[in-house]
Amino acid sequence: MWGDIAISTHSSANDRAVILLHERVHQFLVPKLYVLREYRVSNRAASYLRSSLYRYIEEALAETVAQVGVYGIRQFLTGIRFPIQNGYMFLTQGGGHYPYFTGSGVIIEAAGLLFNGMVSGIAFELRFQPANVPVREIPAEK
């Protein structure tokens, strides 16, 4: 939550490199300025636990950077699939491999974001006003 990293030495050098790079991405995303840091860190942690979409974006980003950084561009899709394959979240239901993961599923949250217009707790509406468009008449063929 605060950006501290601890890695086991019981794995291969490549695995440790992937793990370290993955965790450094998480560390990079942690607020560092001390102005309201505790508040911002707790909000970030709450978003991670309560939103499947947030969890997917952060984990996919971290794993993609790690896989591509260690093994090359061919591992790009491995990083994108990582959160789903490892149980960090589900596509259509809330939860994950930890019991305190909640959310509604990535597809439902993304659809709700697009449909309801809610970004970071701020609601917005998109309104379309119909306009009178003149209709061109096509001459009948003879």
Side-chain angles (χ1 to χ4, degrees), residues 8 10 19 26 28 36 39 49-50 54 90 100 108 112 116 131 134 136:
S8 172
H10 298 293
I19 293 167
H26 288 299
F28 176 78
L36 299 172
Y39 173 75
L49 293 176
R50 294 183 185 139
Y54 183 91
F90 302 115
Y100 43 83
I108 295 166
N116 290 333
R136 285 189 303 165

Side-chain angles (χ1 to χ4, degrees), residues 2-118:
W2 294 96
D4 300 331
I5 299 174
I7 297 175
S8 172
T9 58
H10 298 293
S11 56
S12 70
N14 280 347
D15 286 345
R16 285 194 311 268
V18 169
I19 293 167
L20 180 61
L21 198 48
H22 178 105
E23 295 304 324
R24 282 193 174 159
V25 171
H26 288 299
Q27 187 179 47
F28 176 78
L29 297 173
V30 172
K32 290 164 190 60
L33 295 175
Y34 282 95
V35 176
L36 299 172
R37 183 172 190 233
E38 189 168 336
Y39 173 75
R40 292 181 297 135
V41 168
S42 65
N43 273 348
R44 179 180 172 272
S47 293
Y48 186 87
L49 293 176
R50 294 183 185 139
S51 172
S52 299
L53 183 60
Y54 183 91
R55 208 166 35 250
Y56 174 79
I57 291 170
E58 184 168 330
E59 290 298 332
L61 175 69
E63 190 64 18
T64 301
V65 167
Q67 290 289 331
V68 170
V70 173
Y71 297 115
I73 194 69
R74 290 184 176 197
Q75 294 301 312
F76 178 78
L77 291 177
T78 302
I80 299 299
R81 291 188 300 255
F82 174 80
I84 299 167
Q85 287 179 338
N86 293 308
Y88 280 90
M89 41 61 66
F90 302 115
L91 292 176
T92 58
Q93 66 184 19
H97 64 76
Y98 292 119
Y100 43 83
F101 283 167
T102 59
S104 302
V106 170
I107 293 173
I108 295 166
E109 288 181 15
L113 179 67
L114 293 174
F115 180 73
N116 290 333
M118 183 71 82

